Amino acid sequence: MESALVDWVIMNQNVVGLKESATLAVNQKAKALRKQGETISHFGFGQSPFDVHPLIQNALREAAHQKDYLPTLGLLELREAFSAFYQNQYGYQFRPDHILVGPGSKELIFQALFTLEGPLLIPAPSWVSYGPQASIRGKHVHIIKTEKENAYKLTAQELDQACQALRVSRQKILILNNPNNPTGSVYRDEEIAAISEVCREHGVIVVSDEIYALTDFSGRAYRGFSEHYPEGTIVTSGLSKGHSAGGYRLGLLAAPQGMGKVIKTLAGMVSETYSSVSAPIQYAAVKAFSGDPEILKYTQNCTRVHQAAGDYLWNRFTKMGLGCVKPEGAFYLFPTSVLFIRRFEKRGSIPPKPFAITF
Ligand SMILES: Cc1ncc(COP(=O)(O)O)c(C=O)c1O
């Protein structure tokens, strides 16, 4: 029997109307239809199609007996492994006690946005969850529209303009995803350097979403904000994309030397919300970030396959007249559908909204 409608329940206005994240909902629907025998190509959640490397799977099996709650910041061995991994890969200097382990980087981004004051600057197009996360917190969101001519990358001038408009706020937050979902773009060193200068000038904290750092096929050495603006950059990453282990739900957040207070506050938030991440998963993640050459080679090969698929699709789409920026990282194409929009309009139909394609 359906329960009676209760009209006296009052909910938080910041979350009323929030729907299940569109990308997750599409995934579930596609899965259900496939189960019914339908052939479905969907544009939902971006998921790497490869297996988790057997060495990481073994580490997870061997850690099945680990049942104790782990420290709020996360297993020390894992934070040390991640710190060394990022130092070797990208030259970043994050101390293990400034690293926080979470159930996916999505949760850690949410916790960071919840903790940090100031409006959120989002270069668009962007990943679909930043805006809703900021709204849950009641944060002002300032969208900065980027241009296809710049491969949808934020320019220092665009950021400067946005900061001028928001100058009443002493602190602002910029969230920037590099390599990028949904455009596949990868910022050049000099672009990051120029944006960093603007951040420094205007008191902008960068939340650098580097979940796709391992799936960079630009051929250039990866240079992030932590190199150009270490004092103001918080980095988030995890196992989901480069290690193809989205369902393991393990993310990491790293804060610079001068942000000890932020880490301490985040640790407090974590201890009052999810306590700590599943212990066996954390032990498995130590293996993932151990720098094991076999695992590194595997992730590089996966990235090469993404690159080949991206090149192929980009060529096909370009020939079809669906202009899109050639992807240099992550696993997305963001076609502009101007041509098709006109066709839809001519027929009197509603054209599709911009969408990304996962490969
Ligand atoms: C740009 C971007 N950031 C963050 C995430 C969250 O990743 P996870 O929570 O699995 O670490 C995703 C997942 O799709 C993403 O595309």
Side-chain angles (χ1 to χ4, degrees):
M1 198 177 80
E2 214 173 289
S3 57
L5 182 73
V6 282
D7 55 7
W8 47 266
V9 176
I10 303 167
M11 290 193 281
N12 178 345
Q13 285 307 304
N14 287 345
V15 296
V16 169
L18 264 187
K19 296 194 191 90
E20 184 185 5
S21 173
T23 48
L24 284 174
V26 167
N27 263 35
Q28 296 311 318
K29 176 108 190 167
K31 244 187 190 167
L33 288 170
R34 277 181 187 146
K35 236 181 175 172
Q36 290 164 23
E38 306 234 15
T39 307
I40 298 288
S41 303
H42 72 86
F43 302 141
F45 209 70
Q47 183 155 297
S48 177
F50 305 106
D51 284 341
V52 175
H53 193 283
L55 288 174
I56 305 174
Q57 291 189 38
N58 279 345
L60 179 59
R61 267 190 286 272
E62 282 166 14
H65 67 284
Q66 298 285 358
K67 59 160 194 89
D68 290 346
Y69 285 104
L70 292 180
T72 304
L73 282 184
L75 183 68
L76 178 60
E77 223 179 317
L78 170 57
R79 289 182 281 123
E80 284 172 347
F82 183 73
S83 167
F85 186 83
Y86 259 52
Q87 163 112 49
N88 290 338
Q89 292 283 318
Y90 314 119
Y92 293 175
Q93 311 259 351
F94 287 112
R95 285 176 12 198
D97 61 345
H98 279 216
I99 292 171
L100 179 62
V101 180
S105 62
K106 193 180 205 172
E107 174 67 25
L108 291 170
I109 292 169
F110 177 71
Q111 301 268 355
L113 296 183
F114 199 93
T115 302
L116 297 167
E117 267 313 326
L120 180 67
L121 297 150
I122 309 179
S126 82
W127 184 45
V128 291
S129 287
Y130 302 138
Q133 286 198 349
S135 304
I136 292 172
R137 160 71 155 82
K139 226 181 207 340
H140 173 63
V141 172
H142 186 98
I143 301 286
I144 311 176
K145 195 175 160 289
T146 59
E147 302 299 330
K148 183 168 176 244
E149 293 64 45
N150 298 330
Y152 300 109
K153 288 188 264 186
L154 175 72
T155 65
Q157 288 80 357
E158 287 162 347
L159 178 63
D160 186 57
Q161 261 178 21
C163 288
Q164 301 283 358
L166 296 169
R167 64 183 170 277
V168 288
S169 307
R170 192 156 61 91
Q171 176 174 284
K172 296 160 270 290
I173 319 294
L174 167 68
I175 191 146
L176 198 141
N177 174 222
N178 184 38
N180 189 268
N181 172 6
T183 64
S185 293
V186 178
Y187 285 70
R188 288 174 177 277
D189 193 26
E190 58 271 24
E191 293 164 336
I192 299 277
I195 295 171
S196 294
E197 272 315 302
V198 179
C199 290
R200 199 170 271 126
E201 192 186 323
H202 290 281
V204 178
I205 293 183
V206 177
V207 177
S208 184
D209 177 352
E210 304 190 10
I211 193 75
Y212 295 98
L214 285 177
T215 45
D216 177 348
F217 42 87
S218 65
R220 301 184 292 272
Y222 185 82
R223 298 270 182 270
F225 281 97
S226 289
E227 183 156 319
H228 293 286
Y229 185 42
E231 71 277 22
T233 301
I234 291 173
V235 173
T236 57
S237 187
L239 282 186
S240 298
K241 312 297 176 182
H243 292 94
S244 314
Y248 277 32
R249 305 309 302 128
L250 186 124
L252 295 126
L253 176 148
Q257 196 91 335
M259 287 199 201
K261 219 164 114 185
V262 175
I263 281 288
K264 223 171 153 190
T265 306
L266 282 169
M269 292 266 297
V270 165
S271 71
E272 300 298 1
T273 51
Y274 61 78
S275 299
S276 62
V277 171
S278 150
I281 296 295
Q282 294 202 47
Y283 281 96
V286 174
K287 187 69 193 167
F289 291 113
S290 64
D292 186 304
E294 231 190 88
I295 300 176
L296 278 179
K297 192 154 181 242
Y298 180 71
T299 54
Q300 283 158 4
N301 285 341
C302 294
T303 299
R304 276 200 204 107
V305 178
H306 283 307
Q307 176 173 23
D311 282 357
Y312 173 80
L313 281 170
W314 177 78
N315 269 313
R316 290 296 304 268
F317 273 79
T318 306
K319 278 186 194 144
M320 285 160 66
L322 271 171
C324 42
V325 174
K326 192 169 184 189
E328 293 191 319
F331 25 84
Y332 306 96
L333 269 183
F334 189 69
T336 43
S337 41
V338 177
L339 201 86
F340 285 82
I341 285 174
R342 286 208 199 103
R343 283 191 199 160
F344 273 90
E345 283 169 352
K346 259 190 200 162
R347 283 195 304 189
S349 324
I350 300 168
K353 289 208 173 111
F355 57 92
I357 289 161
T358 309
F359 54 81

